[in-house]
């Protein structure tokens, strides 16, 4: 099937993918008097008296805003909020279909950090949670941090944490299968944007030794004092590749390109660009290496090439290969869980709980099935239940 | 039925009134690949290339934001955006049920004019139209005016224009029944907030002689040079009750309270407060006076009292009396029409077209039926068709 042309047809035929439905009847005079005036005055008065009653009498507690400025949409780059609308509508229906969370696309006409923060704060009364989507780094870090601080509802940047959670889930099973422990592995991570930063932080949170994490951007290995580091990369250079702080000629300091730093690594995680990894680089890694090549739509290395070069386990972002790292395994159940449990901050405990629930959902993981299928709607329930049982 | 308690129960049981639904299936791998990645990239690219394609490939063209800061909700006053949510959800389902327009409540946490304007502009890409709701005067005037100027989608403050349109519709039939012409009538209008201002302007637009329009606020008759006039009232004082500009002792200049200015009037329009009009005041009007007493929930004068005092026709805002002036007769069909016709500005021609369509919907008006029932879903279609045939 030509997904692109068929998708275009589907979108035109249906004129987009979401609609608003009434949960109450509006046929009789009584219907109108209960759903609207005069009856509706009473829930208004109740909320005015007791603001938390908004969760009792409106849909707020089940409504998530999918907010995007369209600055980093799929692999399409900065196409703007309006052009990102089909993705945000798509995200909204995944929320509904996978976890019965109502979600609504908010496509922004601004890409200014302060304006985005002010806008989300201004519209927040309608929503029980905020899912930030496809906002480019490094603005996404400040926007998320500020909104978490300044709002009283959960805020979650899916490109960061959704990806990190599903990567961690896959890695839990991949390490199990190759008899490794998180505290022992050496990890190379290529691409230090929204996803890369969050994956790094969550892996360290989960027990990976930060000294054994090597990050690489388009300029090569990241280390303290390197040129072209933004504030976020600088803070990561403080805790990773730390031997370089003792001198660039220290034997444990790793500098140079991706090929140099991949030598001896157990795990490669790519959230970067097509074709960056060669079979030779895979061969230079430790025995039975694990490759998560998640660049979209073309991975850093194709699975067959990686396997031929000795990879024990390969995951990608694609639906046409085994082990698809797909955020839909995370966000619907995470929001279902935090909305139901009234959790305001999605902290690392919740992220780890979600990752473990996804990993444990597979009873007998194999190298071709370290992670559930994105179509398996039982995953969201398992994730939500795990969060609610915290 | 105790509408207040029953409404509270309904809202709690259903947890509000709206939900988001998918218009496309999400079961198989192909479904996911068309509605979301990778297929969704294609409509994104199309919109990026040709921005107006957003109307072709997304729900924007059928989606209206119901935006409120909760500063003037029903008769409840300034209860804030969050507490106004049940009303905005109610409005959203009326849009859907009466005209198949998707509408979504945007309840604001700010009441600052500039912040409201900036917020609506920032979220506009998602929407095909903006329905402003329950925003108090005089801020509502500037907010609407600026948004009309600065956005490329229709913006409509329903409390102003929706009310004005339905009042005009009722008045068209009321005048027909009492053999009056718009250019001859003398009108007294009590309450110069959002609705009062818009009714005044639309009546003048429709042919009422501005010299024959007398406005009254809580301080009494409005005339040029009076104390306590805001900018909007001042501009109305320039064109109404103009004899006062020749001197307050001019025989045609009308000053004093509502009782004084109602003497000799053909039509009383109340968008003010319960009980302001007495039977004696009705008796002082011209023969066969027309009373639109629309204060909510208690009208300026109860219909039976007005009738006893000689009123030929009485309309109120209430569903338990004949001739209910209910905005639901207007906004669903108006937005259906302008969205379908791609109309960007809802000007007075469109408002008058809508009012005439509502009036003409009643083939044989009587004094107990100058306006259709708010439950008659055929009205919206008639209004939309009239706008589309313009």
């Amino acid at each position: 099937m030509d997904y692109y042309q068929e998708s275009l047809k589907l979108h035109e035929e249906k004129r987009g993918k979401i609609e608003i439905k009434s949960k109450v009847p509006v046929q009789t005079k009584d219907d109108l008097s209960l759903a609207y005036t005069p009856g509706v005055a009473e829930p208004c008065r109740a909320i005015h008296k007791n603001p938390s009653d908004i969760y009792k009498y409106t849909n707020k507690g089940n409504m998530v805003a999918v907010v995007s400025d369209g600055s980093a949409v799929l692999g399409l780059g900065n196409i703007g909020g309006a052009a990102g609308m089909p993705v945000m509508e798509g995200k909204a229906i995944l929320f509904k279909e996978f976890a019965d969370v109502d979600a609504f696309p908010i496509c922004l006409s601004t890409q200014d950090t302060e304006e985005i923060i002010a806008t989300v704060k201004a519209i927040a009364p309608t929503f029980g949670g905020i899912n930030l989507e496809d906002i480019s780094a490094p603005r996404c870090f400040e926007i998320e941090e500020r909104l978490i601080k300044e709002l009283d509802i959960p805020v979650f940047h899916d490109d960061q944490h959704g990806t990190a959670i599903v990567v961690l889930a896959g890695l839990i099973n991949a390490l199990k299968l190759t008899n490794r422990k998180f505290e022992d592995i050496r990890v190379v991570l290529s691409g230090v944007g929204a996803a890369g930063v969050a994956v790094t932080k969550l892996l360290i949170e989960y027990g990976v030794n930060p000294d054994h994490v090597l990050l690489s951007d388009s300029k090569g290995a990241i280390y303290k004092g390197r040129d072209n580091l933004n504030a976020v990369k600088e803070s990561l250079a403080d805790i990773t590749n730390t031997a370089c702080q003792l001198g660039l000629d220290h034997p444990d300091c790793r500098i140079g390109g991706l090929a140099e730093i991949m030598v001896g690594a157990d795990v490669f995680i790519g959230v970067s660009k097509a074709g960056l990894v060669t079979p030779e680089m895979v061969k230079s890694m430790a025995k039975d290496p694990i490759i998560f090549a998640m660049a979209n739509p073309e991975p850093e290395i194709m699975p067959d090439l990686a396997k031929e070069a000795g990879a024990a386990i390969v995951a990608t972002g694609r639906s046409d290969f085994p082990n698809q790292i797909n955020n839909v395994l995370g966000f619907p159940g995470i929001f279902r869980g935090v909305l139901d449990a009234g959790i305001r901050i999605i902290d690392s405990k919740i992220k780890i709980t979600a990752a473990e629930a996804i990993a444990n959902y597979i009873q007998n993981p194999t190298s071709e099935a370290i992670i559930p299928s994105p179509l398996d709607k039982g995953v969201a329930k398992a994730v939500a239940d795990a969060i609610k049982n915290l």
Side-chain angles (χ1 to χ4, degrees), chain A:
Chain A
M1 191 189 294
D2 179 342
Y3 286 134
Y4 293 138
Q5 287 314 308
E6 288 299 318
S7 178
L8 207 58
K9 260 197 250 172
L10 177 75
H11 282 80
E12 182 170 4
E13 185 193 316
K14 300 280 185 180
R15 214 177 166 195
K17 291 171 297 211
I18 60 166
E19 65 175 324
I20 310 294
K21 282 278 192 189
S22 175
K23 295 196 281 189
V24 302
V26 190
Q27 300 296 335
T28 67
K29 199 186 117 184
D30 279 353
D31 291 345
L32 210 57
S33 303
L34 296 178
Y36 204 57
T37 57
V40 73
E42 198 60 24
C44 290
R45 276 188 211 109
I47 297 167
H48 185 48
K49 205 169 145 192
N50 181 13
S52 71
D53 274 3
I54 193 170
Y55 287 94
K56 194 167 162 186
Y57 297 122
T58 80
N59 198 53
K60 175 185 174 84
N62 202 48
M63 185 68 79
V64 170
V66 178
V67 177
S68 182
D69 68 353
S71 55
V73 177
L74 306 176
L76 305 173
N78 185 357
I79 59 174
M85 182 88 161
V87 171
M88 306 314 139
E89 283 192 353
K91 193 96 182 184
I93 65 172
L94 297 182
F95 267 110
K96 185 69 175 185
E97 296 295 310
F98 282 81
D100 200 27
V101 170
D102 294 304
F104 188 79
I106 296 289
C107 295
L108 299 169
S109 62
T110 176
Q111 297 189 332
D112 177 85
T113 297
E114 291 303 325
E115 285 178 20
I116 293 173
I117 293 169
T119 300
V120 175
K121 286 173 65 177
I123 65 173
T126 294
F127 300 100
I130 305 292
N131 182 100
L132 301 173
E133 192 73 25
D134 293 355
I135 299 176
S136 61
R139 291 172 314 124
C140 62
F141 303 119
E142 182 179 357
I143 291 168
E144 189 197 30
E145 198 178 310
R146 288 269 304 282
L147 287 174
I148 288 173
K149 216 176 287 177
E150 298 175 28
L151 284 178
D152 61 355
I153 52 177
V155 177
F156 184 80
H157 183 204
D158 189 50
D159 305 272
Q160 290 183 63
H161 311 298
T163 308
I165 288 164
V166 183
V167 165
L168 175 57
L171 216 48
I172 288 172
N173 284 334
L175 262 56
K176 213 181 282 175
L177 285 168
T178 56
N179 290 309
R180 288 173 164 107
K181 289 185 175 147
F182 277 87
E183 55 265 40
D184 300 330
I185 55 172
R186 292 177 177 271
V187 178
V188 168
L189 193 141
S190 168
V192 195
V197 170
V199 170
T200 302
K201 288 183 177 172
L202 192 60
L203 290 184
I204 291 172
E205 197 82 46
Y206 200 62
V208 174
N209 183 342
D211 284 338
H212 293 171
V213 176
L214 299 174
L215 307 178
S216 160
D217 62 13
S218 58
K219 310 269 185 301
I222 286 179
Y223 52 86
K224 193 164 172 74
R226 204 200 76 179
D227 289 347
N228 292 306
L229 295 181
N230 63 30
V232 178
K233 290 177 184 176
E234 261 181 20
S235 76
L236 290 173
D238 283 340
I239 53 168
T240 62
N241 206 356
T242 47
C244 297
Q245 295 176 32
L246 305 172
L248 295 188
D249 53 357
H250 188 283
D252 291 337
C253 169
R254 307 289 294 268
I255 59 177
L258 193 55
E260 279 79 31
I261 63 174
M262 274 181 71
V263 176
D266 298 287
V267 176
F268 168 82
I269 296 173
V271 279
S272 45
K273 264 170 122 174
L276 287 188
V277 173
T278 64
E280 288 63 41
M281 287 154 78
V282 175
K283 285 178 192 156
S284 78
M285 295 174 73
K287 191 170 173 287
D288 291 336
I290 296 165
I291 305 284
F292 280 29
M294 297 177 293
N296 260 326
E298 299 293 317
E300 285 81 356
I301 182 169
M302 292 300 277
D304 50 349
L305 281 184
K307 288 270 186 162
E308 276 169 34
I313 293 169
V314 184
T316 69
R318 286 170 63 137
S319 56
D320 49 354
F321 294 111
N323 298 328
Q324 188 189 7
I325 302 297
N326 188 323
N327 288 21
V328 77
L329 292 166
F331 65 82
I334 291 167
F335 270 97
R336 178 77 281 148
V338 299
L339 289 174
D340 287 352
I343 292 168
R344 208 181 81 54
I345 306 226
I346 302 173
D347 59 16
S348 49
K349 197 167 129 194
I350 294 185
K351 293 172 198 162
I352 287 168
T353 299
E356 290 179 335
I358 298 167
N360 294 336
Y361 190 82
I362 299 241
Q363 301 214 320
N364 295 302
T366 68
S367 67
E368 306 274 284
I370 55 169
I371 197 116
S373 156
L375 289 168
D376 189 333
K377 294 186 181 175
V379 179
K381 190 181 179 320
V383 170
D385 286 347
I387 291 171
K388 288 190 266 183
N389 290 332
L390 262 182

